[in-house]
Amino acid sequence: QKALLSVRTVTTDLSSATMLTVRKVFPAAKLVNDRFHVQQLMSEAVDHLRIHYRWEVLEAENRAIKEHRQKRKAAVNKEERDKIGKWEPIRMENGETMPQIMSRSKHIILKHWSKWNKQQADRAAILFDRFPRLMEGYSLSMKLTEIFNKKSTPSQARLNLARWYNDVEKFESDEFNKVLDTFANYTNTIINYFDERLTNASAESFNAKIKAFRSQLRGVADIKFFMFRLATLYA
């Protein structure tokens, strides 16, 4: 019991069940929601917006192909069909079609613009020019990342997040509003990150090692022996 009370800080993901468990097991610990799980929610909201626009682009292309096919079918002779020609998709400045740009943009919007290479930067310029609302959503996501990256006090971070919260509200998106609901529900545990800037990255890394080790064994028959091997390898 004394050992449990000696734990002062626990970092978790945004699972309410995990947080409830931590509060029961470590009653004296301060709970911190991992910043990367919070940022991931925002990234997923932006990607959901990209997928929405991708379906619009695919629908427009399919409609254009169908219209082109109907024109060729309606042609009265070979000369007229040759004049109509075969279907050629419209290519953007970088040589890609719009559906290609939409499908290849996922990794672009999931990372900071400073980490884009030349090809990704060119693709993003076309994407955001065509869909300015997507650029606005991406900017809001990057603004959240910059708030977490900035070394500020909890009170300063609370103010910065409140301003960001207002900007996201003005954006008026159902997916983005779900992120705001999460912030409203876990404000204090999210703000707690700025006290000591702790994350559960090390725990996530160790968990990945355990999963990789377990997959090599094709499952675990003897749990006690498995735990012994883990302790021997990683102690």
Side-chain angles (χ1 to χ4, degrees):
Q1 184 68 26
K2 186 179 291 186
L4 297 179
L5 292 174
S6 66
V7 176
R8 294 303 176 190
T9 307
V10 178
T11 57
T12 71
D13 56 15
L14 292 166
S15 167
S16 56
T18 302
M19 287 188 276
L20 181 61
T21 301
V22 169
R23 287 192 174 100
K24 287 185 176 180
V25 177
F26 307 109
K30 178 175 65 178
L31 194 59
V32 178
N33 281 131
D34 184 79
R35 60 167 287 187
F36 297 109
H37 285 88
V38 178
Q39 290 172 230
Q40 185 181 10
L41 278 182
M42 195 63 184
S43 296
E44 288 172 354
V46 179
D47 191 47
H48 189 277
L49 187 60
R50 177 193 65 86
I51 292 171
H52 170 76
Y53 287 130
R54 184 189 177 193
W55 282 115
E56 286 187 359
V57 168
L58 289 173
E59 184 180 356
E61 184 181 62
N62 289 334
R63 188 165 54 247
I65 292 173
K66 184 178 180 180
E67 290 173 358
H68 181 270
R69 189 185 299 119
Q70 288 173 343
K71 285 182 181 179
R72 283 182 60 87
K73 190 175 181 180
V76 294
N77 52 48
K78 184 177 183 300
E79 183 180 351
E80 191 174 339
R81 281 195 298 273
D82 291 342
K83 188 176 181 180
I84 294 173
K86 295 182 179 180
W87 163 256
E88 286 290 339
I90 298 174
R91 296 191 176 275
M92 302 295 111
E93 303 92 294
N94 65 344
E96 297 176 329
T97 65
M98 205 60 217
Q100 287 175 330
I101 289 176
M102 296 303 295
S103 64
R104 296 171 182 175
S105 296
K106 179 173 182 177
H107 297 296
I108 293 177
I109 63 175
L110 293 180
K111 62 182 179 181
H112 197 272
W113 61 267
S114 62
K115 297 181 180 178
W116 292 341
N117 58 34
K118 178 64 168 57
Q119 184 183 44
Q120 290 173 329
D122 292 342
R123 189 177 293 147
I126 298 169
L127 178 68
F128 291 154
D129 181 66
R130 181 78 176 268
F131 301 102
R133 185 167 168 80
L134 184 57
M135 179 178 67
E136 187 180 350
Y138 172 78
S139 298
L140 288 170
S141 179
M142 292 303 102
K143 187 175 180 181
L144 177 63
T145 299
E146 289 167 3
I147 290 173
F148 278 113
N149 288 341
K150 187 178 181 181
K151 292 184 179 180
S152 54
T153 64
S155 58
Q156 291 172 333
R158 188 181 293 272
L159 180 60
N160 292 333
L161 286 172
R163 290 168 178 164
W164 171 84
Y165 190 102
N166 291 336
D167 291 339
V168 177
E169 273 189 325
K170 294 175 184 176
F171 188 67
E172 295 182 348
S173 165
D174 289 341
E175 293 301 318
F176 283 60
N177 287 339
K178 291 175 184 176
V179 179
L180 295 185
D181 290 340
T182 300
F183 267 84
N185 292 332
Y186 306 117
T187 300
N188 292 331
T189 52
I190 292 173
I191 295 294
N192 285 343
Y193 163 77
F194 295 92
D195 282 328
E196 300 178 63
R197 305 183 69 83
L198 298 175
T199 71
N200 61 352
S202 58
E204 295 281 0
S205 176
F206 184 61
N207 188 44
K209 290 179 181 178
I210 294 176
K211 288 181 178 179
F213 183 59
R214 186 178 61 187
S215 65
Q216 291 177 357
L217 300 176
R218 303 293 190 274
V220 178
D222 189 333
I223 296 178
K224 289 184 179 180
F225 183 62
F226 176 73
M227 297 301 292
F228 169 76
R229 294 186 69 183
L230 277 179
T232 304
L233 286 171
Y234 299 113

